[in-house]
Amino acid sequence: MSKKIRELKARKAGLVQQAAALSDVAVTAGRDFTAEEATQFDSLKAQIEGVNRQIEAEEFLAEQQADTFNIKPTSMVSVEDNAEKDDKRGFKHAGEFFRAVGMAGIGKGLDPRLGIGAAAPTTYSNESAGADGGFAIPPEFSREIWRLALGEESLIPRTANVEIAGNSMIFPKDETTPWGGSGVQVYWQSEAAAGQQSKISLGS
């Protein structure tokens, strides 16, 4: 407790003692305050309330000063590159990414952003290095490519989708050519004569 707060509390105690003495006189006599006593009591009450406000102010200031000069150490602050969490992997737009890939492809330097999330080189193909298969497209740009590829103007939705149960499927193909002599042929036939036979030539 500061010296100033102790002095204020001592002053308050003296004022409270004076107010209590006035009250005791009236209670002992079995009467209310006289006009003069009421004025004195009100004055003492106002002074006590003023001292209370001063004490509260001093205690508040003392508490704030303690917090200011006694700063407690906080937890350690760590800094990390958030590009890994960015769906664009640090690139502003798709054009910037494709330009970086093009420059790397012609040996004009490797943009460090192209190596985000890359695995260490191994004996198998991967997407983490240009020589091993190319650079992975950031998720944001990949989604846009798929959106364009599968949009209403795309050819993919207009193709025939064939579901298969295994890893492969054999489709028959027509081995004939427009200039060849095999496969289905068309002939002019004589009246009442047997038609010439031809058949489709398929491969797989």
Side-chain angles (χ1 to χ4, degrees):
M1 183 185 300
S2 68
K3 178 181 178 181
K4 191 170 185 179
I5 294 177
R6 288 197 298 269
E7 291 175 350
L8 287 170
K9 289 190 173 183
R11 180 183 173 191
K12 175 184 174 181
L15 293 170
V16 170
Q17 186 176 3
Q18 293 179 47
L22 280 174
S23 178
D24 289 342
V25 170
V27 171
T28 302
R31 57 176 175 79
D32 294 332
F33 286 141
T34 64
E36 183 180 355
E37 289 173 341
T39 301
Q40 292 178 1
F41 186 88
D42 290 340
S43 175
L44 292 169
K45 177 182 176 183
Q47 293 181 60
I48 292 170
E49 291 174 347
V51 173
N52 281 336
R53 288 192 293 270
Q54 288 181 309
I55 293 173
E56 289 178 1
E58 290 298 325
E59 288 177 342
F60 172 78
L61 291 174
E63 181 181 353
Q64 297 306 311
Q65 289 173 348
D67 288 343
T68 301
F69 294 106
N70 296 295
I71 300 175
K72 297 180 180 179
T74 58
S75 57
M76 298 296 294
V77 177
S78 61
V79 179
E80 62 178 1
D81 188 355
N82 288 328
E84 182 73 38
K85 300 176 182 178
D86 181 15
D87 281 350
K88 296 181 181 180
R89 295 298 187 264
F91 293 97
K92 296 180 181 178
H93 46 74
E96 187 179 28
F97 165 74
F98 291 121
R99 183 179 184 279
V101 172
M103 297 299 287
I106 60 176
K108 295 294 184 179
L110 178 63
D111 192 311
R113 292 172 293 183
L114 293 175
I116 294 176
T122 62
T123 57
Y124 55 84
S125 297
N126 60 81
E127 295 179 338
S128 64
D132 292 336
F135 300 98
I137 300 176
E140 179 72 18
F141 308 144
S142 178
R143 286 193 292 268
E144 181 64 14
I145 291 173
W146 276 109
R147 186 187 69 80
L148 295 174
L150 300 176
E152 294 182 358
E153 301 300 324
S154 172
L155 293 177
I156 295 179
R158 303 181 184 183
T159 59
N161 296 321
V162 180
E163 296 184 4
I164 60 176
N167 294 332
S168 63
M169 182 175 183
I170 298 176
F171 291 92
K173 63 180 179 179
D174 188 357
E175 295 285 357
T176 61
T177 61
W179 56 86
S182 60
V184 177
Q185 301 292 315
V186 178
Y187 301 94
W188 286 103
Q189 298 292 338
S190 301
E191 186 176 351
Q196 298 188 38
Q197 298 181 357
S198 67
K199 64 179 181 178
I200 191 171
S201 178
L202 299 177
S204 60

